[in-house]
């Protein structure tokens, strides 16, 4: 990334005083022309950097120049380090290398304050690599192909221009432009199978704010539901619902009033509460749930 290269050029020059364009070009695996262009950009940004020709010449900073960390407050320095640490735990290329250099420039110790694993508990290495694969496809603007199961259980093949990774309500989603639907879509990553990155590049299209757009679509097909959940289900209540949706009853149970999108997944979701679920409203949903339980009971007896 160009910004990282600019920063590292300054760091190298602070450390070594003078370096030839050829040495920098070999270090970054770019042409000397690119290095001289970087020097022009840095100079235009007010960094006192220059290139001299002849024996003993090279690229250097004006004598006496030093990175003035005091231009940033201590809190601003901490914010930069925290941002870099976040990139490190997502295994963003070269982020650990850059974090160490910035910490030395700020003369600060870094704290291992965050650790992130984007896969479910007990996942294999393949699932753990999926996040990095999607991240790289987004950064390099490459179309991805995958099989996808929607909330109706229907399978389809998708080619998507990936735009953004989203985290919402304990799950990861991918926002992108679906070439199959010719529209922007949000995909639940756990339902994406056999994900591959193609060689097809794309120019990102201007997109709506993915989460807000999806929430609007869901709200248009949602129904208001009231649940009473036993006191032993407190962990589910507070994990899955906002405080304003929850009322704690005198007997220790919880009443939850929430909007749910209509679809087959809703029955499965409500059944997942098992005996923790004590009441359901409206009545037609309750009747449907009873029918589902009767069918389940019949299946288990006949098996």
């Amino acid at each position: 990334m160009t910004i990282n290269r600019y920063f590292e050029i300054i760091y190298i020059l602070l450390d070594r005083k003078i370096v030839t364009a050829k040495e920098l070009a070999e270090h970054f695996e770019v042409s000397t022309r690119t290095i001289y262009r970087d020097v022009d950009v840095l100079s235009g940004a007010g960094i006192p950097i220059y290139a001299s020709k002849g024996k003993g010449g090279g690229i250097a900073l004006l004598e006496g120049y030093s990175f003035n960390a005091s231009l940033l407050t201590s809190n601003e320095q901490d914010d930069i380090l925290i941002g870099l640490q976040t990139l490190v735990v997502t295994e963003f290329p070269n982020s650990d290398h850059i974090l160490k250099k910035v910490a030395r420039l700020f003369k600060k110790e870094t704290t291992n304050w965050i650790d992130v694993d984007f896969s479910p508990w007990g996942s294999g290495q393949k699932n753990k690599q999926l996040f990095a694969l999607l991240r790289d496809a987004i950064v390099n603007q490459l179309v991805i192909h995958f099989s996808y199961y929607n909330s109706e259980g229907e399978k389809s093949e998708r080619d998507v221009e990936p735009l953004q990774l989203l985290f919402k309500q304990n799950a990861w989603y991918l926002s992108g432009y679906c070439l199959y639907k010719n529209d922007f879509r949000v995909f639940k990553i756990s339902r994406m199978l056999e994900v591959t990155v193609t060689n097809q590049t794309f120019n990102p299209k201007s997109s709506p704010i993915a989460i807000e757009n999806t929430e609007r679509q869901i709200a248009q097909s949602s129904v208001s539901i009231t649940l009473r959940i036993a006191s032993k289900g407190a962990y589910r209540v507070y994990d899955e619902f906002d405080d304003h949706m929850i009322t704690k009853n005198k007997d220790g149970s919880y009443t939850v009033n929430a909007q749910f999108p209509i679809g087959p997944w809703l029955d499965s979701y409500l059944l997942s509460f098992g005996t923790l679920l004590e009441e359901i409203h409206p009545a037609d949903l309750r009747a449907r749930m009873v029918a589902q339980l009767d069918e389940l009971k019949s299946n288990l007896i006949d098996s």
Side-chain angles (χ1 to χ4, degrees):
M1 294 178 67
T2 304
I3 298 298
N4 293 345
R5 190 169 67 242
Y6 293 161
F7 178 83
E8 192 161 356
I9 287 173
I10 296 172
Y11 183 87
I12 290 171
L13 295 178
L14 286 170
D15 186 50
R16 294 179 52 187
K17 305 303 180 187
I18 189 166
V19 184
T20 66
K22 182 180 178 182
E23 288 176 311
L24 289 173
E26 290 175 351
H27 177 78
F28 293 109
E29 298 181 347
V30 297
S31 67
T32 54
R33 179 179 295 179
T34 296
I35 295 299
Y36 284 123
R37 189 162 57 242
D38 290 346
V39 169
D40 289 340
V41 171
L42 289 169
S43 178
I47 304 297
I49 187 173
Y50 67 94
S52 59
K53 297 181 179 180
K55 187 176 181 180
I59 296 171
L61 294 167
L62 285 179
E63 190 173 350
Y65 174 79
S66 62
F67 180 79
N68 188 2
S70 64
L71 292 174
L72 300 169
T73 67
S74 180
N75 285 341
E76 288 171 337
Q77 293 174 23
D78 288 340
D79 288 343
I80 291 172
L81 293 175
I82 287 170
L84 286 170
Q85 284 174 311
T86 305
L87 290 177
V88 169
V89 298
T90 61
E91 299 181 0
F92 196 86
N94 299 320
S95 54
D96 186 46
H97 183 59
I98 296 169
L99 171 62
K100 291 175 182 177
K101 289 185 174 182
V102 174
R104 284 201 294 270
L105 283 177
F106 291 164
K107 297 179 181 177
K108 290 194 172 192
E109 294 292 328
T110 58
T111 302
N112 226 5
W113 72 279
I114 185 173
D115 193 11
V116 177
D117 188 339
F118 299 98
S119 57
W121 291 104
S123 295
Q125 191 61 32
K126 184 177 180 180
N127 279 344
K128 294 181 180 180
Q129 291 170 348
L130 178 57
F131 179 85
L133 183 147
L134 295 174
R135 176 202 63 206
D136 292 345
I138 292 169
V139 171
N140 295 311
Q141 297 176 6
L142 294 171
V143 172
I144 61 172
H145 177 84
F146 55 90
S147 301
Y148 190 70
Y149 285 91
N150 65 16
S151 59
E152 306 286 331
E154 300 166 337
K155 181 182 179 181
S156 60
E157 300 296 316
R158 303 295 184 103
D159 289 301
V160 171
E161 298 174 357
L163 298 174
Q164 191 178 34
L165 288 167
L166 313 168
F167 187 78
K168 178 74 173 176
Q169 199 176 6
N170 303 320
W172 280 99
Y173 297 83
L174 173 74
S175 168
Y177 188 83
C178 180
L179 300 176
Y180 177 71
K181 293 289 188 179
N182 291 319
D183 199 1
F184 294 99
R185 288 289 188 272
V186 174
F187 303 92
K188 195 169 186 178
I189 289 178
S190 60
R191 298 182 194 156
M192 296 168 57
L193 304 177
E194 301 171 347
V195 182
T196 58
V197 179
T198 72
N199 293 323
Q200 181 182 347
T201 59
F202 66 91
N203 292 318
K205 299 175 177 63
S206 178
S207 65
I209 300 174
I211 289 181
E212 291 182 4
N213 188 51
T214 302
E215 286 182 337
R216 279 196 298 269
Q217 293 174 6
I218 291 173
Q220 291 170 0
S221 60
S222 293
V223 61
S224 180
I225 294 175
T226 300
L227 309 173
R228 192 176 76 193
I229 299 170
S231 59
K232 291 187 294 183
Y235 68 99
R236 290 284 304 266
V237 171
Y238 290 112
D239 270 354
E240 300 171 30
F241 302 101
D242 290 338
D243 289 347
H244 73 275
M245 302 176 182
I246 304 166
T247 301
K248 188 169 183 179
N249 304 315
K250 291 182 179 180
D251 63 358
S253 65
Y254 298 88
T255 296
V256 174
N257 292 285
Q259 293 288 125
F260 289 89
I262 299 170
W265 78 272
L266 179 57
D267 294 351
S268 299
Y269 174 73
L270 294 176
L271 284 171
S272 73
F273 283 90
T275 56
L276 296 174
L277 193 56
E278 298 179 340
E279 283 185 22
I280 304 175
H281 299 281
D284 60 334
L285 177 59
R286 183 166 63 252
R288 194 170 79 231
M289 292 296 298
V290 171
Q292 291 270 6
L293 289 171
D294 287 341
E295 183 179 350
L296 176 60
K297 180 180 176 181
S298 176
N299 290 341
L300 292 175
I301 291 173
D302 294 341
S303 63

